[in-house]
Amino acid sequence: QVQLVESGGGWVQPGGSLRLSCAASGWIFSINAMGWYRQAPGKQRELVAAITSCGSTNYADSVKGRFTISRDNGKNTVYLQMNSLKPEDTAVYYCNADVITIASTRVVDYWGQGTQVTVSS
């Protein structure tokens, strides 16, 4: 089995910063793409940022220039640096990873439990 654990969420005032981390553990052979999604109350879940194993990145238009995604392949960890936070960034943030386990060559999608980010005065 594979587990993804997020950390770093919390409350921050508008204009502030937070850094989210997501560590994958278990019987991992390799991890392809990793990413961050978010879901606000009454809204659809949306992709925030994604990164491939070789470092290619994609960002939602709403966060370009403010958020930065990165990863440490040796630690099976992905990060999301969030700067200039706005109230509309308030949501539950979920980590996602496409994992090839030791026991199989099939790619399986895994999700973390989510971490709350609240931006308000």
Side-chain angles (χ1 to χ4, degrees), residues 43-76:
K43 303 291 185 179
Q44 298 272 28
R45 184 174 298 187
E46 64 174 350
L47 174 69
V48 178
I51 184 168
T52 68
S53 59
C54 60
S56 297
T57 59
N58 287 302
Y59 295 93
D61 288 341
S62 60
V63 307
K64 286 181 179 177
R66 299 189 298 122
F67 292 9
T68 302
I69 189 170
S70 61
R71 64 189 285 174
D72 185 331
N73 291 332
K75 297 180 179 179
N76 290 327

Side-chain angles (χ1 to χ4, degrees), residues 23-111:
S25 61
W27 290 44
I28 299 170
F29 178 77
S30 65
I31 301 177
N32 294 338
M34 302 185 79
W36 290 94
Y37 291 72
R38 68 185 181 188
Q39 188 166 22
K43 303 291 185 179
Q44 298 272 28
R45 184 174 298 187
E46 64 174 350
L47 174 69
V48 178
I51 184 168
T52 68
S53 59
C54 60
S56 297
T57 59
N58 287 302
Y59 295 93
D61 288 341
S62 60
V63 307
K64 286 181 179 177
R66 299 189 298 122
F67 292 9
T68 302
I69 189 170
S70 61
R71 64 189 285 174
D72 185 331
N73 291 332
K75 297 180 179 179
N76 290 327
T77 299
V78 63
Y79 306 92
L80 186 68
Q81 179 67 46
M82 304 185 293
N83 298 325
S84 301
L85 283 161
K86 305 175 181 179
E88 50 263 46
D89 294 317
T90 296
V92 177
Y93 284 69
Y94 297 91
C95 178
N96 173 263
D98 296 327
V99 180
I100 301 174
T101 67
I102 293 175
S104 177
T105 58
R106 187 177 71 172
V107 177
V108 178
D109 216 36
Y110 285 92
W111 292 88

